[in-house]
Amino acid sequence: MEAEALFRRQCAACLKEDGTADGQRLIKLVLETYRQANRNLAEQSRLLEIVLNHLPLGLCIFDSDQRLVVSNIRFQQLFGLEVDDTRAGTSIGSLIAKIDGLEKAGARAVARESRSDGGRIRRREWEMNDGRIIQSVVTVLPDGSNISIHADITEDRKAAERIAFLAHHDPLTGLPNRIRFREQLDTALAARKPDDQIALIHLNLDRFKSVNNTLGVSAGDKILRQVADRLRALAGSSNILARLGSDEFAILQCAREQPWNVMALADQIRRELSEPFFRGDKAVELSVSMGIAICPKDGAETELLLKHAGVALSHAKSGGRRGERFFTSEMEAQLESRRALEADLRKAVHNEEFELHYQPLYDMAERRICGFEALLRWNHPTRGRIAPLEFIPLAEEVGLIVDIGRWVLKRACMDAITWPTDIKVAVNVSAIQFISSDLEEDVCAALAISELSPGRLEIEITESVLMENRDEALPILHALRQRGVHISMDDFGTGYSSLSYLSSFPFDKIKIDKSFVNDIVDNKEAFAIMRAIILLGDALGMRVTVEGVETAQQHDLLAQEACDEIQGYHISSPRPALDVPKLLAGSQPHGKAQAV
Ligand code: C2E
Ligand code: CA
Ligand code: CA
């Protein structure tokens, strides 16, 4: 119709005034229109070719007999085809036969069909022999012909797979993460037969933070990878292993005859992880705590089983670490009361419910009290006075020891300034205070506010300070000593390597633990050991204090040795600050020690 209207317009334009047509003009007009149309067609074909061959996607069109009408170069490249392979008229079957790859196994099942206005859309995927993945989107038109576009999605697919992997795995060790572990636990519990048992071990590396603090995070990461490798080897393919958090792992053991099987596994884990880890030529020793819950006894749902293994782990941790605990129902009640104690402890810091008691240090040569050790007491509003061993480990665990320790330092110095100038005060400092606070600053602040001379302050540390945080602790100890503060090694002989720590720092004093004094009167060996330690301290030029002296006989035996000081109930139990003047008055120089 358009052509007819055009011809009518051309005829009208050729009419002369007398109403006849100008034939020559008409021919000219019609020819001009033809030429123009030809030029447009050539231009369009050229444009189409440019578009086709610069398209970053492969494109091909098949007619309703499934024979190729047109395709572009990218299509050939994607499927590794030659120009000859893609001549117009080639059947779809022979084209597929020449492709250097296969339609992805099960891809037809995956091939999704959807409708658009123009026809049906199908997606297909090809796995090429060189590993590339090509995705085809085919639009099938109502007459059976189709147009398809093809893209290389290898990189996109890899990225998507990586994202999916990372969402469910821990990037450091490659182990399943907490999310994945929950899913695995869900699946295992759902698939469990009535007679099956499933044991869940929740593992935590003891004091791993101090490894990170002393060796650095990247060394810590390397060690964690080694831990994961050892656990992987132990877990094998029959158990499920995951990393739940920084230094936390979990193992799921689906086996009957529990608890025996899981006990054997836990035993292997403990032994395997206690072998030293190597960081260059430096050996790092670790220990592990484990909490174990068994389905169905301790719970048959994911949440409950995880929670109970966690409860058992907390118990393993608070029970001195390095071991495993099976969940028991009493544990929950105990954990509850611990939580209540923690809440009370937080309030106690704020409400200043603490008090210091003082226990005399008795100078054997001068036969008089030469100082006092400050010992913390908690006056709980309802439970009465609580001994430090009941709350200090908890305060250390939750970090409250930093605030409490600061208060102790200040209070002890403020009390000591009211005493005669030759009386010292000894303050206990926890390992945590060396890493979680500026101990040097806290000590200086306490000395400054009380105006106590630094030489009257003794800081007591146990070997755990040097064992766990040697690199942080040593400079602080040296700095304090530089300022004139004295440093004592407390509870000497109770740790694994007290002797080796003696040479790492020039202590002013060693305090021999009370466990050594118990038998010195009746047991010759015990006395020999005590004597040897006293001589050792003496030889190193350190003052020696014997703790826990309870009887006159013990005192008399020690009086014959080179023991500089004693401390214990024989002299006095720890007393409130108010009693200090009375104690001092009772301890006359050159007189007999008086028990209070
Ligand atoms: P420690 O430093 O070894 O303190 C000596 C402990 O032995 C005190 O227990 C004391 O009451 C007790 N004791 C004293 N003489 C005798 C005796 O003749 N026989 C026996 N069997 N025991 C005796 P306490 O006051 O219960 O303190 C226990 C531990 O709590 C202390 O052991 C110390 O490690 C810690 N501690 C106390 N106060 C503080 C503090 O302010 N900060 C820190 N970080 N720890 C503290
Ligand atoms: Ca002490
Ligand atoms: Ca002690």
Side-chain angles (χ1 to χ4, degrees), residues 373 428 460 462 490-492 511-514 547 567:
E373 177 176 1
N428 293 284
E460 294 192 7
T462 58
D490 201 0
D491 300 348
F492 183 82
K511 297 184 76 178
I512 304 176
D513 188 70
K514 47 186 171 291
E547 292 186 291
Q567 181 182 359

Side-chain angles (χ1 to χ4, degrees), residues 406 409-411 413-414 441-452 457:
R406 210 173 273 139
L409 271 167
K410 192 172 128 197
R411 185 73 261 153
C413 292
M414 304 269 275
E441 194 183 296
D442 291 348
V443 168
C444 290
L447 289 172
I449 202 164
S450 61
E451 297 182 354
L452 188 76
L457 177 64

Side-chain angles (χ1 to χ4, degrees), residues 390-464:
E390 277 184 58
F391 67 88
I392 286 184
L394 178 64
E396 288 176 339
E397 217 169 283
V398 299
L400 283 170
I401 195 69
V402 170
D403 288 339
I404 299 175
R406 210 173 273 139
W407 179 86
V408 170
L409 271 167
K410 192 172 128 197
R411 185 73 261 153
C413 292
M414 304 269 275
D415 286 342
I417 197 73
T418 66
W419 306 338
T421 51
D422 58 349
I423 303 295
K424 292 178 178 163
V425 66
V427 174
N428 293 284
V429 171
S430 289
I432 310 290
Q433 290 173 263
F434 281 84
I435 38 171
S436 307
S437 67
D438 190 338
L439 186 63
E440 191 189 345
E441 194 183 296
D442 291 348
V443 168
C444 290
L447 289 172
I449 202 164
S450 61
E451 297 182 354
L452 188 76
S453 139
R456 290 179 63 193
L457 177 64
E458 289 178 358
I459 296 291
E460 294 192 7
I461 63 161
T462 58
E463 72 171 48
S464 65

Side-chain angles (χ1 to χ4, degrees), residues 232-241 252:
R232 208 181 260 125
L234 283 176
S237 55
S238 52
N239 303 310
I240 295 168
L241 171 67
L252 208 59

Side-chain angles (χ1 to χ4, degrees), residues 59-188:
L59 182 137
C60 53
I61 299 173
F62 288 92
D63 62 18
S64 52
D65 296 327
Q66 307 305 309
R67 288 185 181 278
L68 190 62
V69 178
V70 69
S71 67
N72 66 354
I73 297 172
R74 183 74 187 132
F75 171 71
Q76 293 165 17
Q77 290 168 341
L78 281 175
F79 288 99
L81 298 166
E82 302 291 329
V83 182
D84 274 352
D85 302 333
T86 55
R87 297 234 173 270
T90 311
S91 77
I92 211 165
S94 65
L95 209 57
I96 289 176
K98 285 178 186 146
I99 285 179
D100 210 11
L102 282 176
E103 183 161 8
K104 234 178 153 180
R108 274 184 194 283
V110 187
R112 277 171 288 159
E113 289 203 7
S114 59
R115 286 184 172 281
S116 80
D117 291 346
R120 285 177 297 130
I121 291 181
R122 305 198 65 211
R123 280 171 216 277
R124 303 178 134 185
E125 254 177 51
W126 307 87
E127 205 162 63
M128 306 307 289
N129 291 348
D130 58 9
R132 287 174 306 128
I133 300 168
I134 313 283
Q135 189 180 61
S136 307
V137 179
V138 186
T139 306
V140 185
L141 298 174
D143 67 354
S145 63
N146 63 65
I147 305 164
S148 49
I149 48 174
H150 314 267
D152 183 338
I153 59 160
T154 319
E155 289 309 314
D156 295 357
R157 184 56 54 87
K158 271 194 199 151
E161 277 168 5
R162 181 97 193 115
I163 289 167
F165 182 85
L166 286 179
H168 289 98
H169 290 80
D170 153 45
L172 182 70
T173 61
L175 290 175
N177 64 10
R178 190 182 281 272
I179 298 169
R180 180 81 190 109
F181 186 70
R182 268 172 194 274
E183 290 171 2
Q184 288 170 316
L185 185 52
D186 282 342
T187 313

Side-chain angles (χ1 to χ4, degrees), residues 354-381:
F354 296 109
E355 183 190 352
L356 289 183
H357 279 199
Y358 290 97
Q359 185 176 35
L361 297 158
Y362 184 82
D363 188 306
M364 294 291 267
E366 295 187 8
R367 297 189 186 177
R368 64 176 187 103
I369 291 173
C370 57
F372 289 90
E373 177 176 1
L375 292 159
L376 190 58
R377 302 291 178 258
W378 178 11
N379 297 314
H380 190 279

Side-chain angles (χ1 to χ4, degrees), residues 100-374:
D100 210 11
L102 282 176
E103 183 161 8
K104 234 178 153 180
R108 274 184 194 283
V110 187
R112 277 171 288 159
E113 289 203 7
S114 59
R115 286 184 172 281
S116 80
D117 291 346
R120 285 177 297 130
I121 291 181
R122 305 198 65 211
R123 280 171 216 277
R124 303 178 134 185
E125 254 177 51
W126 307 87
E127 205 162 63
M128 306 307 289
N129 291 348
D130 58 9
R132 287 174 306 128
I133 300 168
I134 313 283
Q135 189 180 61
S136 307
V137 179
V138 186
T139 306
V140 185
L141 298 174
D143 67 354
S145 63
N146 63 65
I147 305 164
S148 49
I149 48 174
H150 314 267
D152 183 338
I153 59 160
T154 319
E155 289 309 314
D156 295 357
R157 184 56 54 87
K158 271 194 199 151
E161 277 168 5
R162 181 97 193 115
I163 289 167
F165 182 85
L166 286 179
H168 289 98
H169 290 80
D170 153 45
L172 182 70
T173 61
L175 290 175
N177 64 10
R178 190 182 281 272
I179 298 169
R180 180 81 190 109
F181 186 70
R182 268 172 194 274
E183 290 171 2
Q184 288 170 316
L185 185 52
D186 282 342
T187 313
L189 290 174
R192 189 180 74 87
K193 297 195 189 75
D195 284 350
D196 288 352
Q197 286 172 311
I198 296 173
L200 169 59
I201 310 182
H202 189 167
L203 287 94
N204 187 283
L205 302 175
D206 298 330
R207 303 193 175 95
F208 191 74
K209 257 199 200 112
S210 70
V211 172
N212 268 341
N213 285 338
T214 48
L215 299 181
V217 176
S218 77
D221 281 355
K222 277 201 185 111
I223 291 172
L224 279 174
R225 259 187 245 130
Q226 293 176 34
V227 168
D229 289 343
R230 289 189 197 180
L231 288 174
R232 208 181 260 125
L234 283 176
S237 55
S238 52
N239 303 310
I240 295 168
L241 171 67
R243 181 173 177 222
L244 303 186
S246 60
D247 54 358
E248 270 178 70
F249 296 85
I251 296 186
L252 208 59
Q253 188 190 48
C254 302
R256 295 187 185 178
E257 287 163 37
Q258 296 295 14
W260 316 114
N261 272 314
V262 73
M263 267 166 88
L265 180 60
D267 205 47
Q268 277 180 311
I269 293 173
R270 193 168 13 81
R271 265 184 285 140
E272 195 61 37
L273 295 189
S274 63
E275 290 293 320
F277 290 84
F278 284 93
R279 156 101 189 100
D281 54 356
K282 216 173 176 181
V284 180
E285 307 238 350
L286 287 182
S287 65
V288 62
S289 300
M290 290 176 266
I292 304 170
I294 298 174
C295 164
K297 182 173 73 69
D298 304 327
E301 293 130 40
T302 302
E303 281 311 315
L304 206 60
L305 211 56
L306 277 171
K307 182 180 158 210
H308 287 170
V311 168
L313 176 64
S314 307
H315 272 259
K317 284 259 167 209
S318 55
R321 306 185 170 99
R322 289 175 184 269
E324 57 268 1
R325 288 277 202 290
F326 282 87
F327 173 77
T328 63
S329 48
E330 298 87 64
M331 282 182 175
E332 256 182 327
Q334 282 177 33
L335 201 72
E336 209 36 64
S337 73
R338 232 175 85 90
R339 281 207 195 100
L341 190 70
E342 186 189 328
D344 286 353
L345 198 55
R346 286 187 193 280
K347 277 187 252 158
V349 177
H350 191 251
N351 298 345
E352 300 225 339
E353 290 166 8
F354 296 109
E355 183 190 352
L356 289 183
H357 279 199
Y358 290 97
Q359 185 176 35
L361 297 158
Y362 184 82
D363 188 306
M364 294 291 267
E366 295 187 8
R367 297 189 186 177
R368 64 176 187 103
I369 291 173
C370 57
F372 289 90
E373 177 176 1

